[in-house]
Amino acid sequence: MALLFLGLNELLDLQTVLTATGRSLAREQGWYRERRSFQLWFMVIFSIAALLGAALVLWKLRNALWPVRLAMIGFVAIAIYVVLRAASFHHTDQLLRGGLELVKFGSLLEMGGIAVVAISAVTYKRLAEKSV
């Protein structure tokens, strides 16, 4: 379900809507100049919540097959990318756009997470077929 939401987020570019809404709200309410501290707290709180959630899920999946746990790690990589994009700090944008000429860090994080989830799904299917 979460990956479906992230797919819709990618398709509809919801983080841009969230950023634009936050920027508009900050201007209307007069705290736009202090937005950096809000962005920092957003990133910190959301990242901690995501890490705690991931830790809880990994703990609950401790007896699951390794491809399931690996898929969760890929999902966490994708979620970290989304959090960094949603926070839209200038220096996080630079971090996400930084990297090698052909491979940017943000693309590596996002596409790497997707690849890990895909590889995990294929591996899980093969393991399930062998056990039948």
Side-chain angles (χ1 to χ4, degrees):
M1 188 61 148
L3 283 176
L4 177 63
F5 171 76
L6 288 175
L8 287 173
N9 175 56
E10 184 69 23
L11 180 65
L12 301 174
D13 200 15
L14 297 177
Q15 69 265 14
T16 302
V17 173
L18 175 67
T19 302
T21 302
R23 185 177 298 125
S24 177
L25 185 64
R27 285 186 178 133
E28 287 174 14
Q29 295 181 355
W31 53 272
Y32 184 74
R33 290 179 189 236
E34 291 83 34
R35 73 189 181 281
R36 296 285 185 220
S37 64
F38 178 79
Q39 289 172 326
L40 176 64
W41 281 109
F42 170 82
M43 260 181 60
V44 167
I45 291 169
F46 198 85
S47 296
I48 289 171
L51 288 173
L52 288 174
L56 177 66
V57 170
L58 284 172
W59 182 75
K60 288 192 173 265
L61 294 175
R62 67 189 178 279
N63 296 323
L65 294 173
W66 68 267
V68 175
R69 294 190 310 264
L70 184 63
M72 184 59 194
I73 292 169
F75 175 74
V76 168
I78 297 166
I80 290 169
Y81 171 77
V82 171
V83 168
L84 290 174
R85 281 276 293 136
S88 189
F89 275 119
H90 180 66
H91 51 277
T92 57
D93 286 344
Q94 288 177 337
L95 173 69
L96 292 174
R97 291 187 187 116
L100 303 174
E101 183 72 27
L102 295 174
V103 182
K104 303 300 179 202
F105 179 71
S107 297
L108 185 63
L109 193 57
E110 182 183 26
M111 297 303 166
I114 292 168
V116 167
V117 171
I119 291 167
S120 299
V122 169
T123 304
Y124 180 82
K125 184 177 183 211
R126 286 185 182 160
L127 288 173
E129 288 172 350
K130 285 183 182 179
S131 67
V132 173

